Amino acid sequence: MWLRGLASKSTTVGKHTLAKGVVMRDTTTLVVGAGPVGLTAAVVLTQLGHAVTVVDRQGAAANTSRAAVVHAHTLELLEPYGVVPDLVARGVPISTFTIRDRDDLLIRVPFDRLPTPYPYTLMISQADTEAILLNRLTELGATVARPAEVAGLHRHRDGVQVTFGDGAVLQARYVIGADGMHSTVRDQARIAFRGASYAESFTLADVRLRGGVPADEVVLYFAPAGLLVVAPLPDGLSRIVATVPAAPSSPDTGFVQRLLDERGPQRVPAVVDRVVWGSRFRVHHRLADTFGADRILLAGDAAHVHSPAGGQGMNLGIEDAVALGQALARVLGGDAATRLDAADRAGVLDGYAAERRRTAGRVVAATHRLTTVATLRRRAARNHLLRALGAVPTVRHALAWRLSGLDRR
């Protein structure tokens, strides 16, 4: 069944039918991309009383597990928007993050003493996070047009003309590009995306697991063969992430078992009973030259990508989305008393772009350093240093503060 991508609060100045019957109208803000970042931006704007149209080039069934961590600061930011109770009810709260070399504990990072209502990291499938955000957006009276692929953007004095793959044209005052690393919005705005790629690829798998992996920790294993992350998920599953020279498109039980045998616990080996879902991806560390160009704004992976070490990617993107939604709500205003003049509007959006780019730059650098440390060849010296650092309470607290995102309050 085709969805109608039309926010009920939209002021319409035109009506456009995409291929296969998707109907949209001209809108105040067009959000391109219905992942966690795009949906969050749409929820914020809609709840604050502004018309939003959301489009996504994928069908609704295309969403998969992918990102699986929601940190404390992200939950704090989402608290006003009606999704946190459902997220917490669905997810698995984990209060400890550890770094290990096989059975050797190097650093234990506790979250349970952090000054937050959410003193843990919440493990939850991205598919569940998206479903909860989409349900909230629907409650607020907006929907997502799928599949609807943006083909071109043309900026003019009053907004942006958006052309879709089937030739339909829509007018928007502002466009938010939340369409991922291969962003059409970023490319059409001619914003450079500078950086590099890691030599290794990453394998990703959700598995049924038993044995020596702690059930109440997120564990980052530093092994000679490479990095391995094991984390609990809802429904008794575990998330496996590992660096490999060449990841298979669909990792099977044997492949994941070999990873655990060569990188995971040794005294009580972990055993993979079944792979429920798996994928692969190549990791980059890249940053857009700007997060805003006139009326086109970027958020999430369209603006920054980095190593999955520390589980910061989706969280940083949701932070972008909340900040951008709130900034755009100020720009759009409500009545004459709250409307900004042109210079002030530009200043608010320039402020978003500059502040979020600085923040993303710090996170990209920090995750790159963590990935570099994980792959150091001088194993004994690295482990000695990490063990010494882990013995210092202030270091453990600082790591918890940073991993939780609370340092970005």
PDB file of all heavy atoms in Angstrom, residues 36 64-71 91-92 94 121-129 204-206 218 229 231-234 238-241 277 308 311-315:
ATOM      1  N   PRO A  36      16.942   7.152  11.423  1.00  0.00           N
ATOM      2  CA  PRO A  36      16.778   7.787  12.737  1.00  0.00           C
ATOM      3  C   PRO A  36      17.011   9.293  12.717  1.00  0.00           C
ATOM      4  O   PRO A  36      16.325  10.037  13.430  1.00  0.00           O
ATOM      5  CB  PRO A  36      17.832   7.080  13.601  1.00  0.00           C
ATOM      6  CG  PRO A  36      18.040   5.766  12.945  1.00  0.00           C
ATOM      7  CD  PRO A  36      17.886   6.016  11.477  1.00  0.00           C
ATOM      8  N   THR A  64      17.059  -2.288   8.401  1.00  0.00           N
ATOM      9  CA  THR A  64      17.703  -3.421   9.059  1.00  0.00           C
ATOM     10  C   THR A  64      18.296  -2.961  10.378  1.00  0.00           C
ATOM     11  O   THR A  64      18.159  -1.816  10.781  1.00  0.00           O
ATOM     12  CB  THR A  64      18.793  -4.010   8.153  1.00  0.00           C
ATOM     13  OG1 THR A  64      19.711  -2.974   7.781  1.00  0.00           O
ATOM     14  CG2 THR A  64      18.200  -4.617   6.901  1.00  0.00           C
ATOM     15  N   SER A  65      19.025  -3.856  11.056  1.00  0.00           N
ATOM     16  CA  SER A  65      19.465  -3.599  12.418  1.00  0.00           C
ATOM     17  C   SER A  65      20.536  -2.511  12.505  1.00  0.00           C
ATOM     18  O   SER A  65      20.419  -1.578  13.269  1.00  0.00           O
ATOM     19  CB  SER A  65      19.990  -4.904  13.035  1.00  0.00           C
ATOM     20  OG  SER A  65      20.373  -4.712  14.359  1.00  0.00           O
ATOM     21  N   ARG A  66      21.599  -2.618  11.766  1.00  0.00           N
ATOM     22  CA  ARG A  66      22.696  -1.640  11.692  1.00  0.00           C
ATOM     23  C   ARG A  66      23.076  -1.062  13.055  1.00  0.00           C
ATOM     24  O   ARG A  66      23.548  -1.786  13.911  1.00  0.00           O
ATOM     25  CB  ARG A  66      22.346  -0.553  10.674  1.00  0.00           C
ATOM     26  CG  ARG A  66      22.307  -1.078   9.240  1.00  0.00           C
ATOM     27  CD  ARG A  66      21.749  -0.060   8.274  1.00  0.00           C
ATOM     28  NE  ARG A  66      20.321   0.104   8.465  1.00  0.00           N
ATOM     29  CZ  ARG A  66      19.583   1.045   7.894  1.00  0.00           C
ATOM     30  NH1 ARG A  66      20.166   1.937   7.122  1.00  0.00           N
ATOM     31  NH2 ARG A  66      18.286   1.103   8.085  1.00  0.00           N
ATOM     32  N   ALA A  67      22.919   0.250  13.274  1.00  0.00           N
ATOM     33  CA  ALA A  67      23.317   0.854  14.550  1.00  0.00           C
ATOM     34  C   ALA A  67      22.499   0.245  15.684  1.00  0.00           C
ATOM     35  O   ALA A  67      21.319  -0.038  15.529  1.00  0.00           O
ATOM     36  CB  ALA A  67      23.119   2.363  14.504  1.00  0.00           C
ATOM     37  N   ALA A  68      23.150   0.044  16.850  1.00  0.00           N
ATOM     38  CA  ALA A  68      22.465  -0.673  17.930  1.00  0.00           C
ATOM     39  C   ALA A  68      22.677  -0.050  19.304  1.00  0.00           C
ATOM     40  O   ALA A  68      22.361  -0.677  20.302  1.00  0.00           O
ATOM     41  CB  ALA A  68      22.945  -2.135  17.959  1.00  0.00           C
ATOM     42  N   VAL A  69      23.202   1.171  19.366  1.00  0.00           N
ATOM     43  CA  VAL A  69      23.507   1.804  20.649  1.00  0.00           C
ATOM     44  C   VAL A  69      22.835   3.174  20.718  1.00  0.00           C
ATOM     45  O   VAL A  69      22.973   3.978  19.796  1.00  0.00           O
ATOM     46  CB  VAL A  69      25.031   1.995  20.839  1.00  0.00           C
ATOM     47  CG1 VAL A  69      25.333   2.609  22.200  1.00  0.00           C
ATOM     48  CG2 VAL A  69      25.769   0.676  20.667  1.00  0.00           C
ATOM     49  N   VAL A  70      22.119   3.431  21.812  1.00  0.00           N
ATOM     50  CA  VAL A  70      21.606   4.770  22.091  1.00  0.00           C
ATOM     51  C   VAL A  70      22.182   5.193  23.440  1.00  0.00           C
ATOM     52  O   VAL A  70      21.943   4.542  24.463  1.00  0.00           O
ATOM     53  CB  VAL A  70      20.063   4.805  22.132  1.00  0.00           C
ATOM     54  CG1 VAL A  70      19.569   6.215  22.444  1.00  0.00           C
ATOM     55  CG2 VAL A  70      19.488   4.324  20.801  1.00  0.00           C
ATOM     56  N   HIS A  71      22.948   6.267  23.434  1.00  0.00           N
ATOM     57  CA  HIS A  71      23.656   6.692  24.637  1.00  0.00           C
ATOM     58  C   HIS A  71      22.808   7.641  25.497  1.00  0.00           C
ATOM     59  O   HIS A  71      21.767   8.142  25.064  1.00  0.00           O
ATOM     60  CB  HIS A  71      24.975   7.364  24.255  1.00  0.00           C
ATOM     61  CG  HIS A  71      26.014   6.415  23.767  1.00  0.00           C
ATOM     62  ND1 HIS A  71      26.433   5.332  24.502  1.00  0.00           N
ATOM     63  CD2 HIS A  71      26.736   6.379  22.602  1.00  0.00           C
ATOM     64  CE1 HIS A  71      27.365   4.674  23.824  1.00  0.00           C
ATOM     65  NE2 HIS A  71      27.567   5.283  22.670  1.00  0.00           N
ATOM     66  N   GLY A  91      14.635  -1.565  24.679  1.00  0.00           N
ATOM     67  CA  GLY A  91      16.074  -1.809  24.682  1.00  0.00           C
ATOM     68  C   GLY A  91      16.570  -2.544  25.913  1.00  0.00           C
ATOM     69  O   GLY A  91      15.830  -2.830  26.854  1.00  0.00           O
ATOM     70  N   VAL A  92      17.872  -2.867  25.879  1.00  0.00           N
ATOM     71  CA  VAL A  92      18.557  -3.521  26.998  1.00  0.00           C
ATOM     72  C   VAL A  92      19.540  -2.519  27.590  1.00  0.00           C
ATOM     73  O   VAL A  92      20.522  -2.134  26.930  1.00  0.00           O
ATOM     74  CB  VAL A  92      19.318  -4.779  26.531  1.00  0.00           C
ATOM     75  CG1 VAL A  92      20.066  -5.419  27.697  1.00  0.00           C
ATOM     76  CG2 VAL A  92      18.360  -5.776  25.887  1.00  0.00           C
ATOM     77  N   ILE A  94      22.678  -1.363  29.538  1.00  0.00           N
ATOM     78  CA  ILE A  94      23.953  -1.960  29.925  1.00  0.00           C
ATOM     79  C   ILE A  94      24.780  -0.887  30.632  1.00  0.00           C
ATOM     80  O   ILE A  94      25.053   0.171  30.055  1.00  0.00           O
ATOM     81  CB  ILE A  94      24.716  -2.501  28.702  1.00  0.00           C
ATOM     82  CG1 ILE A  94      23.879  -3.547  27.966  1.00  0.00           C
ATOM     83  CG2 ILE A  94      26.063  -3.080  29.128  1.00  0.00           C
ATOM     84  CD1 ILE A  94      23.588  -4.807  28.762  1.00  0.00           C
ATOM     85  N   THR A 121      24.197   2.538  28.733  1.00  0.00           N
ATOM     86  CA  THR A 121      24.056   2.623  27.286  1.00  0.00           C
ATOM     87  C   THR A 121      22.922   1.674  26.906  1.00  0.00           C
ATOM     88  O   THR A 121      22.823   0.562  27.431  1.00  0.00           O
ATOM     89  CB  THR A 121      25.372   2.257  26.580  1.00  0.00           C
ATOM     90  OG1 THR A 121      25.260   2.510  25.180  1.00  0.00           O
ATOM     91  CG2 THR A 121      25.763   0.805  26.790  1.00  0.00           C
ATOM     92  N   LEU A 122      22.021   2.125  26.056  1.00  0.00           N
ATOM     93  CA  LEU A 122      20.830   1.350  25.707  1.00  0.00           C
ATOM     94  C   LEU A 122      21.088   0.598  24.404  1.00  0.00           C
ATOM     95  O   LEU A 122      21.317   1.208  23.357  1.00  0.00           O
ATOM     96  CB  LEU A 122      19.626   2.272  25.554  1.00  0.00           C
ATOM     97  CG  LEU A 122      18.277   1.569  25.377  1.00  0.00           C
ATOM     98  CD1 LEU A 122      17.857   0.903  26.692  1.00  0.00           C
ATOM     99  CD2 LEU A 122      17.213   2.564  24.924  1.00  0.00           C
ATOM    100  N   MET A 123      21.054  -0.726  24.478  1.00  0.00           N
ATOM    101  CA  MET A 123      21.244  -1.553  23.286  1.00  0.00           C
ATOM    102  C   MET A 123      19.879  -1.844  22.668  1.00  0.00           C
ATOM    103  O   MET A 123      18.995  -2.418  23.309  1.00  0.00           O
ATOM    104  CB  MET A 123      21.952  -2.864  23.657  1.00  0.00           C
ATOM    105  CG  MET A 123      23.313  -2.678  24.289  1.00  0.00           C
ATOM    106  SD  MET A 123      24.465  -1.698  23.281  1.00  0.00           S
ATOM    107  CE  MET A 123      24.499  -2.660  21.754  1.00  0.00           C
ATOM    108  N   ILE A 124      19.715  -1.398  21.422  1.00  0.00           N
ATOM    109  CA  ILE A 124      18.435  -1.547  20.724  1.00  0.00           C
ATOM    110  C   ILE A 124      18.703  -1.513  19.222  1.00  0.00           C
ATOM    111  O   ILE A 124      19.507  -0.712  18.746  1.00  0.00           O
ATOM    112  CB  ILE A 124      17.444  -0.443  21.152  1.00  0.00           C
ATOM    113  CG1 ILE A 124      16.101  -0.586  20.411  1.00  0.00           C
ATOM    114  CG2 ILE A 124      18.027   0.937  20.971  1.00  0.00           C
ATOM    115  CD1 ILE A 124      15.018   0.342  20.963  1.00  0.00           C
ATOM    116  N   SER A 125      18.051  -2.372  18.484  1.00  0.00           N
ATOM    117  CA  SER A 125      18.222  -2.410  17.037  1.00  0.00           C
ATOM    118  C   SER A 125      17.798  -1.094  16.396  1.00  0.00           C
ATOM    119  O   SER A 125      16.815  -0.467  16.807  1.00  0.00           O
ATOM    120  CB  SER A 125      17.389  -3.554  16.447  1.00  0.00           C
ATOM    121  OG  SER A 125      17.162  -3.380  15.070  1.00  0.00           O
ATOM    122  N   GLN A 126      18.530  -0.675  15.378  1.00  0.00           N
ATOM    123  CA  GLN A 126      18.145   0.535  14.649  1.00  0.00           C
ATOM    124  C   GLN A 126      16.749   0.401  14.055  1.00  0.00           C
ATOM    125  O   GLN A 126      16.004   1.381  13.977  1.00  0.00           O
ATOM    126  CB  GLN A 126      19.154   0.842  13.548  1.00  0.00           C
ATOM    127  CG  GLN A 126      18.811   2.090  12.746  1.00  0.00           C
ATOM    128  CD  GLN A 126      19.867   2.441  11.721  1.00  0.00           C
ATOM    129  OE1 GLN A 126      21.045   2.159  11.914  1.00  0.00           O
ATOM    130  NE2 GLN A 126      19.453   3.054  10.631  1.00  0.00           N
ATOM    131  N   ALA A 127      16.390  -0.802  13.640  1.00  0.00           N
ATOM    132  CA  ALA A 127      15.044  -1.000  13.091  1.00  0.00           C
ATOM    133  C   ALA A 127      13.988  -0.661  14.134  1.00  0.00           C
ATOM    134  O   ALA A 127      12.951  -0.054  13.824  1.00  0.00           O
ATOM    135  CB  ALA A 127      14.888  -2.446  12.614  1.00  0.00           C
ATOM    136  N   ASP A 128      14.228  -1.029  15.394  1.00  0.00           N
ATOM    137  CA  ASP A 128      13.286  -0.683  16.460  1.00  0.00           C
ATOM    138  C   ASP A 128      13.287   0.816  16.727  1.00  0.00           C
ATOM    139  O   ASP A 128      12.229   1.425  16.944  1.00  0.00           O
ATOM    140  CB  ASP A 128      13.646  -1.431  17.747  1.00  0.00           C
ATOM    141  CG  ASP A 128      13.332  -2.918  17.672  1.00  0.00           C
ATOM    142  OD1 ASP A 128      12.447  -3.293  16.881  1.00  0.00           O
ATOM    143  OD2 ASP A 128      13.981  -3.698  18.390  1.00  0.00           O
ATOM    144  N   THR A 129      14.469   1.426  16.743  1.00  0.00           N
ATOM    145  CA  THR A 129      14.562   2.872  16.958  1.00  0.00           C
ATOM    146  C   THR A 129      13.783   3.620  15.881  1.00  0.00           C
ATOM    147  O   THR A 129      13.010   4.544  16.172  1.00  0.00           O
ATOM    148  CB  THR A 129      16.032   3.320  16.959  1.00  0.00           C
ATOM    149  OG1 THR A 129      16.731   2.641  18.006  1.00  0.00           O
ATOM    150  CG2 THR A 129      16.150   4.820  17.171  1.00  0.00           C
ATOM    151  N   LEU A 204      29.189  -7.377  10.312  1.00  0.00           N
ATOM    152  CA  LEU A 204      28.153  -7.067  11.289  1.00  0.00           C
ATOM    153  C   LEU A 204      27.228  -8.275  11.363  1.00  0.00           C
ATOM    154  O   LEU A 204      26.806  -8.790  10.327  1.00  0.00           O
ATOM    155  CB  LEU A 204      27.369  -5.846  10.799  1.00  0.00           C
ATOM    156  CG  LEU A 204      26.578  -4.985  11.755  1.00  0.00           C
ATOM    157  CD1 LEU A 204      27.521  -4.252  12.695  1.00  0.00           C
ATOM    158  CD2 LEU A 204      25.755  -3.965  10.958  1.00  0.00           C
ATOM    159  N   ALA A 205      26.924  -8.740  12.579  1.00  0.00           N
ATOM    160  CA  ALA A 205      26.032  -9.893  12.697  1.00  0.00           C
ATOM    161  C   ALA A 205      25.279  -9.840  14.018  1.00  0.00           C
ATOM    162  O   ALA A 205      25.849  -9.486  15.056  1.00  0.00           O
ATOM    163  CB  ALA A 205      26.823 -11.196  12.604  1.00  0.00           C
ATOM    164  N   ASP A 206      23.995 -10.194  13.973  1.00  0.00           N
ATOM    165  CA  ASP A 206      23.198 -10.413  15.172  1.00  0.00           C
ATOM    166  C   ASP A 206      23.042 -11.919  15.325  1.00  0.00           C
ATOM    167  O   ASP A 206      22.548 -12.593  14.412  1.00  0.00           O
ATOM    168  CB  ASP A 206      21.838  -9.740  15.051  1.00  0.00           C
ATOM    169  CG  ASP A 206      21.949  -8.223  15.041  1.00  0.00           C
ATOM    170  OD1 ASP A 206      23.026  -7.704  15.395  1.00  0.00           O
ATOM    171  OD2 ASP A 206      20.957  -7.561  14.673  1.00  0.00           O
ATOM    172  N   VAL A 218      29.045  -4.313  27.324  1.00  0.00           N
ATOM    173  CA  VAL A 218      29.476  -4.134  25.945  1.00  0.00           C
ATOM    174  C   VAL A 218      30.993  -4.302  25.960  1.00  0.00           C
ATOM    175  O   VAL A 218      31.692  -3.595  26.697  1.00  0.00           O
ATOM    176  CB  VAL A 218      29.097  -2.740  25.403  1.00  0.00           C
ATOM    177  CG1 VAL A 218      29.688  -2.543  24.004  1.00  0.00           C
ATOM    178  CG2 VAL A 218      27.589  -2.575  25.367  1.00  0.00           C
ATOM    179  N   VAL A 229      33.757  -6.354  18.601  1.00  0.00           N
ATOM    180  CA  VAL A 229      32.796  -5.845  19.587  1.00  0.00           C
ATOM    181  C   VAL A 229      31.704  -6.887  19.770  1.00  0.00           C
ATOM    182  O   VAL A 229      31.181  -7.434  18.795  1.00  0.00           O
ATOM    183  CB  VAL A 229      32.167  -4.513  19.128  1.00  0.00           C
ATOM    184  CG1 VAL A 229      31.123  -4.038  20.133  1.00  0.00           C
ATOM    185  CG2 VAL A 229      33.235  -3.449  18.931  1.00  0.00           C
ATOM    186  N   ALA A 231      28.070  -7.247  22.029  1.00  0.00           N
ATOM    187  CA  ALA A 231      27.146  -6.490  22.878  1.00  0.00           C
ATOM    188  C   ALA A 231      25.790  -7.191  22.916  1.00  0.00           C
ATOM    189  O   ALA A 231      25.344  -7.742  21.906  1.00  0.00           O
ATOM    190  CB  ALA A 231      26.979  -5.071  22.345  1.00  0.00           C
ATOM    191  N   PRO A 232      25.100  -7.168  24.078  1.00  0.00           N
ATOM    192  CA  PRO A 232      23.762  -7.751  24.161  1.00  0.00           C
ATOM    193  C   PRO A 232      22.750  -6.918  23.376  1.00  0.00           C
ATOM    194  O   PRO A 232      22.873  -5.696  23.279  1.00  0.00           O
ATOM    195  CB  PRO A 232      23.442  -7.709  25.664  1.00  0.00           C
ATOM    196  CG  PRO A 232      24.729  -7.392  26.348  1.00  0.00           C
ATOM    197  CD  PRO A 232      25.562  -6.636  25.357  1.00  0.00           C
ATOM    198  N   LEU A 233      21.734  -7.594  22.854  1.00  0.00           N
ATOM    199  CA  LEU A 233      20.596  -6.959  22.199  1.00  0.00           C
ATOM    200  C   LEU A 233      19.306  -7.519  22.790  1.00  0.00           C
ATOM    201  O   LEU A 233      19.335  -8.558  23.475  1.00  0.00           O
ATOM    202  CB  LEU A 233      20.623  -7.224  20.688  1.00  0.00           C
ATOM    203  CG  LEU A 233      21.588  -6.417  19.814  1.00  0.00           C
ATOM    204  CD1 LEU A 233      21.463  -6.879  18.368  1.00  0.00           C
ATOM    205  CD2 LEU A 233      21.318  -4.929  19.924  1.00  0.00           C
ATOM    206  N   PRO A 234      18.165  -6.879  22.538  1.00  0.00           N
ATOM    207  CA  PRO A 234      16.897  -7.464  22.985  1.00  0.00           C
ATOM    208  C   PRO A 234      16.662  -8.852  22.390  1.00  0.00           C
ATOM    209  O   PRO A 234      17.294  -9.242  21.399  1.00  0.00           O
ATOM    210  CB  PRO A 234      15.860  -6.461  22.473  1.00  0.00           C
ATOM    211  CG  PRO A 234      16.596  -5.169  22.361  1.00  0.00           C
ATOM    212  CD  PRO A 234      17.985  -5.551  21.933  1.00  0.00           C
ATOM    213  N   SER A 238      22.885 -11.166  20.421  1.00  0.00           N
ATOM    214  CA  SER A 238      24.125 -10.432  20.639  1.00  0.00           C
ATOM    215  C   SER A 238      24.556  -9.811  19.321  1.00  0.00           C
ATOM    216  O   SER A 238      24.433 -10.436  18.260  1.00  0.00           O
ATOM    217  CB  SER A 238      25.238 -11.348  21.149  1.00  0.00           C
ATOM    218  OG  SER A 238      24.929 -11.852  22.430  1.00  0.00           O
ATOM    219  N   ARG A 239      25.062  -8.599  19.394  1.00  0.00           N
ATOM    220  CA  ARG A 239      25.598  -7.914  18.216  1.00  0.00           C
ATOM    221  C   ARG A 239      27.107  -8.167  18.139  1.00  0.00           C
ATOM    222  O   ARG A 239      27.841  -7.986  19.110  1.00  0.00           O
ATOM    223  CB  ARG A 239      25.310  -6.420  18.312  1.00  0.00           C
ATOM    224  CG  ARG A 239      26.122  -5.506  17.404  1.00  0.00           C
ATOM    225  CD  ARG A 239      25.918  -5.788  15.905  1.00  0.00           C
ATOM    226  NE  ARG A 239      24.549  -5.727  15.501  1.00  0.00           N
ATOM    227  CZ  ARG A 239      23.924  -4.607  15.115  1.00  0.00           C
ATOM    228  NH1 ARG A 239      24.570  -3.462  15.128  1.00  0.00           N
ATOM    229  NH2 ARG A 239      22.669  -4.645  14.728  1.00  0.00           N
ATOM    230  N   ILE A 240      27.577  -8.582  16.969  1.00  0.00           N
ATOM    231  CA  ILE A 240      28.998  -8.789  16.691  1.00  0.00           C
ATOM    232  C   ILE A 240      29.416  -7.790  15.629  1.00  0.00           C
ATOM    233  O   ILE A 240      28.785  -7.681  14.572  1.00  0.00           O
ATOM    234  CB  ILE A 240      29.270 -10.215  16.157  1.00  0.00           C
ATOM    235  CG1 ILE A 240      28.695 -11.277  17.098  1.00  0.00           C
ATOM    236  CG2 ILE A 240      30.748 -10.422  15.911  1.00  0.00           C
ATOM    237  CD1 ILE A 240      29.397 -11.429  18.398  1.00  0.00           C
ATOM    238  N   VAL A 241      30.496  -7.055  15.893  1.00  0.00           N
ATOM    239  CA  VAL A 241      31.109  -6.170  14.905  1.00  0.00           C
ATOM    240  C   VAL A 241      32.596  -6.472  14.901  1.00  0.00           C
ATOM    241  O   VAL A 241      33.216  -6.558  15.967  1.00  0.00           O
ATOM    242  CB  VAL A 241      30.880  -4.681  15.236  1.00  0.00           C
ATOM    243  CG1 VAL A 241      31.467  -3.798  14.137  1.00  0.00           C
ATOM    244  CG2 VAL A 241      29.412  -4.370  15.442  1.00  0.00           C
ATOM    245  N   TRP A 277      20.950 -12.326  11.491  1.00  0.00           N
ATOM    246  CA  TRP A 277      21.078 -11.292  10.445  1.00  0.00           C
ATOM    247  C   TRP A 277      22.540 -10.904  10.345  1.00  0.00           C
ATOM    248  O   TRP A 277      23.276 -10.912  11.335  1.00  0.00           O
ATOM    249  CB  TRP A 277      20.230 -10.072  10.797  1.00  0.00           C
ATOM    250  CG  TRP A 277      20.430  -8.895   9.877  1.00  0.00           C
ATOM    251  CD1 TRP A 277      19.837  -8.687   8.662  1.00  0.00           C
ATOM    252  CD2 TRP A 277      21.294  -7.770  10.097  1.00  0.00           C
ATOM    253  NE1 TRP A 277      20.284  -7.508   8.116  1.00  0.00           N
ATOM    254  CE2 TRP A 277      21.177  -6.925   8.977  1.00  0.00           C
ATOM    255  CE3 TRP A 277      22.171  -7.406  11.130  1.00  0.00           C
ATOM    256  CZ2 TRP A 277      21.895  -5.742   8.854  1.00  0.00           C
ATOM    257  CZ3 TRP A 277      22.885  -6.222  11.015  1.00  0.00           C
ATOM    258  CH2 TRP A 277      22.741  -5.399   9.880  1.00  0.00           C
ATOM    259  N   PRO A 308      33.013   2.815  13.872  1.00  0.00           N
ATOM    260  CA  PRO A 308      31.957   2.484  14.829  1.00  0.00           C
ATOM    261  C   PRO A 308      32.467   2.312  16.256  1.00  0.00           C
ATOM    262  O   PRO A 308      31.661   2.070  17.166  1.00  0.00           O
ATOM    263  CB  PRO A 308      31.411   1.157  14.286  1.00  0.00           C
ATOM    264  CG  PRO A 308      32.568   0.535  13.578  1.00  0.00           C
ATOM    265  CD  PRO A 308      33.319   1.694  12.967  1.00  0.00           C
ATOM    266  N   GLY A 311      30.453   3.418  19.361  1.00  0.00           N
ATOM    267  CA  GLY A 311      29.026   3.523  19.047  1.00  0.00           C
ATOM    268  C   GLY A 311      28.506   4.946  18.986  1.00  0.00           C
ATOM    269  O   GLY A 311      27.418   5.239  19.468  1.00  0.00           O
ATOM    270  N   GLN A 312      29.251   5.837  18.330  1.00  0.00           N
ATOM    271  CA  GLN A 312      28.881   7.253  18.335  1.00  0.00           C
ATOM    272  C   GLN A 312      28.077   7.694  17.115  1.00  0.00           C
ATOM    273  O   GLN A 312      27.440   8.748  17.144  1.00  0.00           O
ATOM    274  CB  GLN A 312      30.149   8.116  18.428  1.00  0.00           C
ATOM    275  CG  GLN A 312      30.957   7.885  19.680  1.00  0.00           C
ATOM    276  CD  GLN A 312      30.202   8.247  20.945  1.00  0.00           C
ATOM    277  OE1 GLN A 312      29.630   9.320  21.067  1.00  0.00           O
ATOM    278  NE2 GLN A 312      30.176   7.328  21.903  1.00  0.00           N
ATOM    279  N   GLY A 313      28.085   6.926  16.027  1.00  0.00           N
ATOM    280  CA  GLY A 313      27.569   7.418  14.750  1.00  0.00           C
ATOM    281  C   GLY A 313      26.122   7.869  14.772  1.00  0.00           C
ATOM    282  O   GLY A 313      25.807   9.026  14.502  1.00  0.00           O
ATOM    283  N   MET A 314      25.188   6.957  15.062  1.00  0.00           N
ATOM    284  CA  MET A 314      23.773   7.321  15.065  1.00  0.00           C
ATOM    285  C   MET A 314      23.477   8.356  16.143  1.00  0.00           C
ATOM    286  O   MET A 314      22.654   9.254  15.947  1.00  0.00           O
ATOM    287  CB  MET A 314      22.905   6.081  15.268  1.00  0.00           C
ATOM    288  CG  MET A 314      21.406   6.361  15.230  1.00  0.00           C
ATOM    289  SD  MET A 314      20.399   4.893  15.485  1.00  0.00           S
ATOM    290  CE  MET A 314      20.673   4.591  17.240  1.00  0.00           C
ATOM    291  N   ASN A 315      24.156   8.235  17.295  1.00  0.00           N
ATOM    292  CA  ASN A 315      23.936   9.183  18.384  1.00  0.00           C
ATOM    293  C   ASN A 315      24.305  10.596  17.976  1.00  0.00           C
ATOM    294  O   ASN A 315      23.569  11.554  18.239  1.00  0.00           O
ATOM    295  CB  ASN A 315      24.734   8.745  19.613  1.00  0.00           C
ATOM    296  CG  ASN A 315      24.186   7.486  20.231  1.00  0.00           C
ATOM    297  OD1 ASN A 315      23.306   7.537  21.077  1.00  0.00           O
ATOM    298  ND2 ASN A 315      24.682   6.342  19.790  1.00  0.00           N
TER     299      ASN A 315
END
